[in-house]
Amino acid sequence: REAPKEKVEKASFTQQVANRYAKPRIDIGVCLGSASFGVTTSDKAILQPARVAIKESNGKIVALGSKAAEIEGREPEGVVVRSPIRNGVVADARLAARLLSATIAASKHGLLSAPRIALAVPSNLSAVESQTLLATAKSAGASKVHLVDQAMAAAIGAGRDLTVPEGHMVVHLGAGVTQ
């Protein structure tokens, strides 16, 4: 006798969306902003000014984040404070990677494995800009990077269930990009 065949049901659209968002395992959530950026883990959140102080003569980094923001406007001679992110896009990949890697280290993620990162990005990002963000996050120490629309990340952070067919208006207000 033949065993009865099991019925295979095709997943509905909402189930597919739920599975798609449930599959990626994320260790750290990052929102790179023009004025500040946030790094969130399961137990803490770090908000840093997106500033880097460098020496003009050789490009050596003097200070990162809040320390760089403290000296902004009264920099010593030969030191300039820059923002590596402008309008939601990486303006200086080297400085952005150093700033991101310092913040990832401050989040004290596991020592044995590199973190998997969800990176909130503007919705109008071009392919070149998204590749730059991916490369920046990888060079900062991420093992895997998932790009998430900033408005969608804001909705998830606000506790909205994206699998339920409901209308929600989410506005993301940033210093460089508003969506």
Side-chain angles (χ1 to χ4, degrees), residues 60-75:
K60 185 178 176 186
I61 295 175
V62 177
L64 297 167
S66 57
K67 290 182 182 176
E70 285 176 11
I71 65 169
E72 189 171 21
R74 47 192 167 103
E75 300 97 340

Side-chain angles (χ1 to χ4, degrees), residues 2-179:
E2 232 178 85
K5 292 184 180 177
E6 290 184 30
K7 255 189 176 179
V8 178
E9 290 184 25
K10 188 175 180 182
S12 69
F13 176 74
T14 55
Q15 289 171 334
Q16 289 175 357
V17 170
N19 289 340
R20 182 173 181 209
Y21 288 107
K23 282 182 183 175
R25 295 221 1 141
I26 305 298
D27 298 319
I28 297 176
V30 177
C31 182
L32 292 173
S34 301
S36 63
F37 66 96
V39 175
T40 306
T41 62
S42 60
D43 59 345
K44 70 170 121 176
I46 299 169
L47 189 64
Q48 287 276 343
R51 300 286 182 267
V52 178
I54 60 170
K55 286 187 179 179
E56 286 183 299
S57 59
N58 58 8
K60 185 178 176 186
I61 295 175
V62 177
L64 297 167
S66 57
K67 290 182 182 176
E70 285 176 11
I71 65 169
E72 189 171 21
R74 47 192 167 103
E75 300 97 340
E77 189 173 324
V79 174
V80 64
V81 176
R82 293 202 177 135
S83 179
I85 310 291
R86 286 192 205 111
N87 299 328
V89 179
V90 174
D92 189 329
R94 180 183 71 91
L95 296 180
R98 287 292 304 272
L99 189 60
L100 186 56
S101 64
T103 308
I104 289 171
S107 73
K108 293 186 174 50
H109 180 266
L111 298 173
L112 300 176
S113 64
R116 296 164 293 204
I117 294 179
L119 188 60
V121 296
S123 59
N124 60 349
L125 212 61
S126 71
V128 173
E129 293 166 341
S130 63
Q131 289 298 321
T132 304
L133 279 171
L134 286 170
T136 300
K138 288 274 193 176
S139 67
S143 64
K144 190 155 181 121
V145 181
H146 300 279
L147 298 181
V148 180
D149 183 61
Q150 286 177 338
M152 186 178 292
I156 293 169
R160 298 291 173 215
D161 186 4
L162 301 179
T163 61
V164 177
E166 295 177 344
H168 299 284
M169 181 173 183
V170 178
V171 179
H172 177 264
L173 300 172
V177 177
T178 299
Q179 299 179 356

